[in-house]
Structure formats: C-alpha cells, structure tokens
Amino acid sequence: MGCAVRLLLPVAAKRLTTARRLSTSTSPPATAVLYDHHGPPDQVLRVAELPAAEIGDRDVCVRMLAAPINPSDLNRVEGVYPVRPPLPAAVAGYEGVGQVHALGGAVDSALLSPGDWVIPSPPSLGTWQTYIVKPASAWHRVRSDVPPQYAATVTVNPLTALRMLQHFVNLTPGDTLVQNGATSIVGQCVIQLAKLHGLRTINIIRDRPGSEEAKDKLKQLGADQVFTESQLDIKNIKSLLGALPEPALGLNCVGGNAASVILKFLRQGGTMVTYGGMSKKPVTVSTSSFIFKDLSLRGFWLQKWMSSDKVEESRTMIDYLLDLVHEGKLKYEMELTPFSDFRLALDKALGKHGSQPKQVLKF
Amino acid sequence: MGCAVRLLLPVAAKRLTTARRLSTSTSPPATAVLYDHHGPPDQVLRVAELPAAEIGDRDVCVRMLAAPINPSDLNRVEGVYPVRPPLPAAVAGYEGVGQVHALGGAVDSALLSPGDWVIPSPPSLGTWQTYIVKPASAWHRVRSDVPPQYAATVTVNPLTALRMLQHFVNLTPGDTLVQNGATSIVGQCVIQLAKLHGLRTINIIRDRPGSEEAKDKLKQLGADQVFTESQLDIKNIKSLLGALPEPALGLNCVGGNAASVILKFLRQGGTMVTYGGMSKKPVTVSTSSFIFKDLSLRGFWLQKWMSSDKVEESRTMIDYLLDLVHEGKLKYEMELTPFSDFRLALDKALGKHGSQPKQVLKF
C-alpha cells in the first residue's frame, strides 16, 4: 500500500522497480577506502573489501553513487582534525550521495524507498565505500534530477557558503561583503548566492599565472570586484571600493596577509568570519581594529553547527541549494573520476598533478 | 522655593550657602592646561589663563575639584587618538569632578544647585582647568560623600570594567573570566566587581620586580588566581585552572603574548574583548581557534559606547559604582597632586619617576 501511494509522487518513476523489504538481511559486500593509522593520505589509505553488514529494522542500505575528496577529508586522515574516528579500519570520506538499495523492515516507506537519492545529513564519516548501512534517520532524500556530483558535494562547500551569508551579519540587498580564497568552491558559491540575494562581493585571489582568467571567471559568476593580493598592497585600500559601500562582512579561508586586507576593507563595526586557513598563517589584528574600528572576529565550522539541533534547518537549506543547481543558478567545476582510479583521484586532490578541479569519486 | 525643597534632601547640608542665580553672567577666569599642536605631552602642554566665559541661560559653571591624567588623555595630546579636538588652544583632560559654581537663569533648580558635585557625563574634552561652562544637560550630579579622586575617575576605568562584565557574555555566579594587565585600575575594578557578582577571576600580570607583592595585593582585592606571563609558558595551560571552570570571557588590554595566553585559557565558544594594547603588539590568532574552538574576538571603546544612546544607562552605572566606593567595596590607588604641581604630576604620569600611582590633579 505504501508503494501504491508513492507511485503518485512525481519522483516515483525514477525508483527501482525491484523494491526490497527486509526484516533482517545484509548489505552486499562493500569496497572501501580505509586507514588504520593517521598519516600522509597517499601512504596510509588502502582499498579493501568489507564483509556484508547487517541491515537492522530501522536501517537503510545505500549504494553510493559519488563522494568528493575534500581537503578536510585529507586532514582527517592526517589526524590534524579535532574529530577522529576509531582506528584501525576507519573508512574515509565525509559527504556523498547514494541510492537507496534496501530498507529495514521498520522503515516508513512513505519516507524512503529503493532508488531514492539520499545523502548522509548531517554528513558522517565513511562515505568512500560502495555500500553503506545507516539508520534511516541519518539519510536525507534529495532530488535526483541534478548531476550526482552536485548532490555529493552540496553540504560541505555550498551549505557553508549559504550559512555564512545568513548567520553572522544581517545583510540586506545592496550590502557588500569581502572574501579571500574566492576561487575555492565555497568562494564561488558565495559569489553566486550573494548575487541571487542582491549582495555585492569584493573578491581576493592569489597572485599566480592565470589570475586574469580566474578574475574573468569569477566576474562571469557575478563577482563585482576581483583583486589579487598584490593589487591590495596600497595605502588607501578603500579607494578601490569605487561606488560599493564598505563591506559589513568578511569571509576568510586563507589567514595571514589575505586576512589582514579583509580587515582593512571592512566598515566600522564589521565582522570577519574565519572558516579556513589555507596559508597556514594566523590572523593578526591590531588593537585599534578592535577598539576604534569595533571589528568582530568569529569562526565557522559546519560540522559543529550541523551537530547541534540544526538538522532540519540544514536539510531545508540543502534542498534550496539543489533547487538552485537544478535551475542552473549554482555551479562549480568538478571532475568525476571512477572509483577504480581512486589513486589517480587522490594524487590529483593532493596537488601532484598541478591545479585540478575538485575530485569526485564515481562508484 | 526650589531651594527650600532641596534643603530636605540629605546632601543639601553640603551645598554652598551662596546660591548664585544668573540670567547672563560670566565664569571666573580659568587656569587651564592647553596644547596648540599634537606632540609629546611634556613638550606641547602649557599652563595658561583663560578669559572669563559667558554663562548662557541653560549653562552651568563648574569649579573643578579634581581630574585624572589617564593614558588616553596623553594619547589625545600626542594625536594618536581617533577623536581630535580643534586646535590651537585645546584644553586637555577628559573626565573629572567639580562643584556647581553658578547656574544660568533657565536651569531647573530641582536638578542642580550651587555646591552640588557634578561630572561631565558622557565625559568630554577640557577637564584640566579650574572653571568649565557647559550646558546643564552635560553634567551629572554625583554623591559628594566620597573622596573627590574617585568621583573624578569613576567613568574611564571603573565604568569600562563594569560594562565589559555585563555587555559581551552572559555571566552567572560561579563563572570564570581571565584578564591580563590585572594591576591596572580597570583590572583592579574587574577583580572587585567580579567578586561582588560571584564571578571568579584569573589574572595575568607582567614579570617584573615586585610581582609577588602585586599578586598578594590582587588576591586581597578578591582575585582567585594570579599568574605572571612566564608562569604561563607551559604546554598545558589549562592544568593551572585547578577547580575553576574554563573562563567564558577574556579581557585584553595588553596584546601580543599576553593576549595569546588569554585565548589559550578560554573555553570552547569563549569571547575575548580587547580594550587596550599596552605592549603595542597586535593580537595573533590561529585559524583553529576560530574554527574548532569557536572563539569570538571583540573590542570595547567606552567613548563610542557612551556617545550612543546610553547616557542614562551609564549614569545609573556610575551612581552604582560610587555607591560601592562609599561602601568601601571598590577602591584603587591614586595620588592627588596639587594643580600647581602639574608638571610633576605629568612627569609621574609619563613614567619619568618609575612606577607611580594614578595621578589626579587637585584644583
């Protein structure tokens, strides 16, 4: 009866016809990327077969479709992340998308059925494997008419961008924000989301070969202004604002000088949010920036925010972001690499092949 | 009739018997400390006689009793403060206490009468002179049964301490705060006010001869723990907390390493407020402090806060602080120096005579 009802839903046509309803059963054996101790990812990660896992009454077995290699995934393997999995035999990966393969006997079939696309939400460790068994409540059904690499990556980067635009400063159309690391995926999402909400963006990128092309690309996404760091090495940085109002919000994922220039751009009473530190340099702030300019400095960590009582709110935001992807309003470059070429994808993610698009494993 | 009513008030006995009610008149000539251009205070400040000033209908002429030499007064003279007076012939000084000398004809005698003690509230430039004429609304009547040096100094330091305890973090009895520069007057006020509100304090002071005596003195004021900076040069700084909870609030008036140790002490989600930079070194913050430890960094500037719509609130707080002084619950060391010895007081304030108590000019 549940199935009959679901056939009326628009997405029903996309579902697998071979519905599996299991009271107790097991998942297929999975192929996974594991590590037994922390260290350099290209040394400690290994691909292995895992035995079939039991599917409990309230569990859902998902066949993974795609999962990205994010820098924070590599940090977790290295052991430099504050949250560590139990070792040995930890499965790497944190976000991804899969397709419902089998439901435990007590799972409400109005919520999930075989063939549905789902993401772990909040994300959780162990997405670099072909089959995953988790409680139904851990999965969030998402639309399946977007490229799988977007559903696989919607949480860590786009949701961070959206949340940072909403959480710290009450921005209204016409307001400006300034960010460094603007060519990152978060940076590109910030530009597009800001544009959609009538906000202006000042974007700071590194000085390197190809920076002119990078500027053009960001402007095509909607960036109002793009500067390389060396262009900002002037006395009166605010003269570069032109007709833009002084920014109320700054987003920092670099640190060091790239953070200092954000502080210079900010208006009286402005806020800078740090969410990364790509330069591995700290943030340095003058006393007068705090006292006379009344700047506030904050931090944002998606994993912490999502682990609080924000699951429903974050799922609604994810649906919104995937709607934007579907409408062609949110895009960023990725490369799908077959899981069988995991070593190649890892080397690309580690920068061994020069600048490469975000690597997304296709299972 | 106004006078008859006021005689019923407890403070009436202290008022001058020679009430002056003037429709238009002038102040006595004043002796003032002036500067004509910015520079080293001992070079640019000069003592001069000013001509009598007109007392308008809504003005009050005040004979100054006492005014401190605060470090920020010297910064203003040096020209390193963001708010600058019109030059030449700017009168120095920012806070102080005086006695009502004469009222303009339209001043409500229920509010002020000759002999009342008043302070400029919010404070304003030009307190280092013997007579000041300002609109009645610029003066706040304070109790006259405390030593004049406390009424003269209640705003810049004690009010900063009280405001910082109330404004940034919702502290409840049992909570801990950590501060550097603890021997400063703000630091001493923080210790005493925290104690009164059931808060615990961790206090950081400089390494220098006499630091053991300084520790004892702060503990007598109510400090729970006092460390010199060198004692904090250890790996696990939190082992020093003992039974105290991790601090939720940090107060920084030093910068550099003394700010870094505050950040190490703070609990997850804690806030550090910068209100001074005595070391002239910036604040340096790691990326992980923002992201994983979720620290917030803010600034506080009393002058900015009081220039907003906080005049009534700040006056109520000042009354509370002077009540504490009267009850013997708030105290700090000062030295009253006769105005005729202004040069000596200035030299002491500039550190030319070694460590000296806060200098308060007695007119």
Side-chain angles (χ1 to χ4, degrees):
Chain A
M1 196 182 82
C3 273
V5 170
R6 286 200 312 278
L7 284 170
L8 300 173
L9 298 173
V11 295
K14 293 183 179 287
R15 287 181 186 145
L16 291 183
T17 50
T18 55
R20 298 174 188 83
R21 304 287 294 166
L22 311 159
S23 58
T24 58
S25 183
T26 58
S27 74
T31 307
V33 178
L34 302 167
Y35 56 112
D36 300 313
H37 52 268
H38 294 295
D42 52 356
Q43 291 177 29
V44 301
L45 289 174
R46 62 184 173 90
V47 178
E49 299 298 312
L50 296 182
E54 187 183 330
I55 303 170
D57 257 10
R58 300 186 180 282
D59 287 341
V60 172
C61 174
V62 170
R63 183 173 72 82
M64 291 302 287
L65 297 172
I69 303 181
N70 286 317
S72 50
D73 296 326
L74 303 177
N75 294 152
R76 286 187 185 88
V77 175
E78 289 160 353
V80 299
Y81 222 65
V83 178
R84 296 182 182 199
L87 295 175
V91 180
Y94 180 64
E95 66 174 339
V97 66
Q99 202 165 24
V100 172
H101 177 75
L103 305 174
V107 176
D108 183 353
S109 59
L111 295 176
L112 285 177
S113 58
D116 283 351
W117 280 24
V118 290
I119 65 172
S121 177
S124 59
L125 301 175
T127 58
W128 295 358
Q129 57 184 321
T130 51
Y131 288 92
I132 305 179
V133 177
K134 283 183 189 294
S137 60
W139 298 105
H140 173 52
R141 188 168 69 187
V142 296
R143 62 189 304 158
S144 57
D145 53 359
V146 294
Q149 61 269 38
Y150 280 97
T153 60
V154 68
T155 308
V156 169
N157 288 316
L159 185 58
T160 291
L162 181 58
R163 183 66 193 162
M164 291 195 300
L165 290 183
Q166 294 178 339
H167 183 65
F168 294 95
V169 174
N170 186 17
L171 297 170
T172 53
D175 284 346
T176 310
L177 64 92
V178 54
Q179 66 168 344
N180 59 30
T183 58
S184 69
I185 291 184
V186 171
Q188 294 181 50
C189 291
V190 163
I191 291 169
Q192 295 169 83
L193 294 169
K195 186 86 176 174
L196 284 168
H197 293 85
L199 307 172
R200 285 85 172 277
T201 59
I202 299 165
N203 300 276
I204 304 166
I205 65 175
R206 278 182 293 171
D207 291 273
R208 58 170 171 179
S211 60
E212 285 308 312
E213 291 78 4
K215 282 185 186 181
D216 290 343
K217 190 179 155 194
L218 296 184
K219 285 185 177 169
Q220 281 166 21
L221 288 179
D224 291 273
Q225 291 190 349
V226 189
F227 301 107
T228 61
E229 272 189 61
S230 65
Q231 286 183 283
L232 303 177
D233 190 18
I234 60 172
K235 190 165 173 115
N236 184 9
I237 206 168
K238 293 207 174 174
S239 65
L240 298 171
L241 281 172
L244 294 181
E246 293 175 289
L249 175 67
L251 303 175
N252 165 45
C253 66
V254 180
N257 179 62
S260 298
V261 291
I262 283 183
L263 297 175
K264 286 182 190 168
F265 264 121
L266 284 178
R267 78 176 183 205
Q268 176 87 18
T271 296
M272 182 173 83
V273 178
T274 291
Y275 69 98
M278 292 195 290
S279 74
K280 301 193 187 297
K281 290 178 186 158
V283 173
T284 301
V285 199
S286 70
T287 298
S288 65
S289 294
F290 286 120
I291 301 180
F292 302 133
K293 203 171 168 183
D294 193 24
L295 297 186
S296 293
L297 274 66
R298 308 280 302 274
F300 181 69
W301 187 21
L302 185 79
Q303 185 166 346
K304 173 91 184 326
W305 176 67
M306 292 190 77
S307 65
S308 58
D309 56 347
K310 305 297 184 190
V311 174
E312 281 313 308
E313 184 178 351
S314 64
R315 290 181 176 186
T316 302
M317 292 165 77
I318 283 167
D319 292 345
Y320 165 75
L321 290 163
L322 289 176
D323 289 348
L324 293 180
V325 169
H326 183 253
E327 295 164 21
K329 293 177 179 168
L330 185 66
K331 56 190 174 189
Y332 42 89
E333 203 184 345
M334 292 173 279
E335 182 179 23
L336 273 171
T337 301
F339 189 35
S340 55
D341 287 338
F342 168 72
R343 289 281 160 196
L344 174 63
L346 179 64
D347 285 349
K348 286 183 173 178
L350 288 168
K352 292 185 187 179
H353 295 262
S355 181
Q356 294 283 333
K358 162 81 66 189
Q359 294 295 303
V360 179
L361 302 171
K362 184 174 187 305
F363 297 95
Chain B
M1 196 182 81
C3 273
V5 169
R6 286 199 313 279
L7 283 170
L8 300 174
L9 298 175
V11 295
K14 293 183 177 290
R15 287 181 186 143
L16 290 181
T17 51
T18 54
R20 299 174 188 84
R21 302 287 295 167
L22 309 160
S23 58
T24 58
S25 183
T26 57
S27 73
T31 308
V33 178
L34 302 167
Y35 55 112
D36 301 313
H37 51 270
H38 294 294
D42 52 356
Q43 292 177 29
V44 301
L45 289 174
R46 62 183 174 92
V47 178
E49 299 298 313
L50 297 182
E54 187 183 330
I55 302 171
D57 256 9
R58 301 186 179 281
D59 287 341
V60 173
C61 174
V62 171
R63 182 174 70 82
M64 290 302 286
L65 297 171
I69 303 181
N70 286 317
S72 50
D73 296 326
L74 303 176
N75 293 152
R76 285 186 185 87
V77 175
E78 288 160 355
V80 298
Y81 222 65
V83 178
R84 296 184 181 198
L87 295 174
V91 180
Y94 181 64
E95 66 175 338
V97 66
Q99 202 164 25
V100 172
H101 177 75
L103 305 174
V107 176
D108 182 353
S109 59
L111 294 178
L112 285 177
S113 58
D116 283 350
W117 280 23
V118 290
I119 64 173
S121 178
S124 60
L125 300 175
T127 57
W128 295 357
Q129 57 184 322
T130 51
Y131 288 92
I132 304 179
V133 176
K134 283 182 188 293
S137 60
W139 298 104
H140 173 52
R141 188 168 68 186
V142 296
R143 61 189 304 158
S144 57
D145 54 0
V146 294
Q149 60 269 38
Y150 280 96
T153 59
V154 68
T155 308
V156 169
N157 288 314
L159 185 58
T160 291
L162 180 59
R163 183 66 194 163
M164 291 195 300
L165 291 183
Q166 293 177 339
H167 183 66
F168 294 96
V169 173
N170 185 17
L171 297 168
T172 55
D175 285 346
T176 310
L177 65 91
V178 55
Q179 65 169 343
N180 59 29
T183 59
S184 69
I185 291 184
V186 171
Q188 293 181 49
C189 291
V190 163
I191 291 169
Q192 295 169 85
L193 294 170
K195 186 85 174 173
L196 285 168
H197 291 86
L199 307 172
R200 286 88 172 276
T201 58
I202 298 166
N203 300 277
I204 304 167
I205 65 175
R206 278 183 292 171
D207 291 274
R208 58 171 171 178
S211 60
E212 286 308 311
E213 291 77 6
K215 283 185 185 179
D216 289 343
K217 189 179 156 195
L218 296 184
K219 285 185 177 170
Q220 281 166 21
L221 289 179
D224 291 273
Q225 292 190 349
V226 189
F227 301 107
T228 60
E229 272 188 62
S230 66
Q231 285 183 284
L232 304 177
D233 190 17
I234 60 172
K235 192 168 172 104
N236 183 9
I237 206 169
K238 294 208 173 173
S239 66
L240 298 171
L241 282 172
L244 294 181
E246 293 175 288
L249 175 66
L251 302 175
N252 165 46
C253 66
V254 180
N257 179 64
S260 299
V261 291
I262 283 183
L263 298 175
K264 286 182 189 169
F265 264 121
L266 285 178
R267 77 175 182 205
Q268 176 87 19
T271 296
M272 182 173 84
V273 178
T274 291
Y275 68 98
M278 291 195 290
S279 72
K280 300 193 188 296
K281 290 177 185 158
V283 173
T284 302
V285 198
S286 70
T287 299
S288 65
S289 295
F290 286 120
I291 301 179
F292 301 133
K293 203 170 168 184
D294 192 25
L295 297 186
S296 293
L297 273 66
R298 308 280 301 274
F300 180 70
W301 187 22
L302 185 79
Q303 185 165 346
K304 173 93 184 324
W305 176 67
M306 293 191 75
S307 65
S308 58
D309 56 347
K310 304 298 183 189
V311 174
E312 281 313 309
E313 186 179 350
S314 64
R315 290 181 174 186
T316 302
M317 292 165 76
I318 283 168
D319 292 344
Y320 165 75
L321 290 164
L322 288 177
D323 289 348
L324 294 181
V325 169
H326 183 253
E327 296 163 21
K329 293 176 179 168
L330 185 67
K331 56 190 174 189
Y332 42 89
E333 203 184 345
M334 292 173 280
E335 183 179 25
L336 273 171
T337 301
F339 188 37
S340 55
D341 288 338
F342 168 72
R343 289 281 160 197
L344 174 64
L346 179 64
D347 285 350
K348 285 183 173 179
L350 288 168
K352 292 184 186 179
H353 295 262
S355 182
Q356 294 284 332
K358 161 83 65 188
Q359 294 296 302
V360 180
L361 302 171
K362 185 175 185 308
F363 297 95

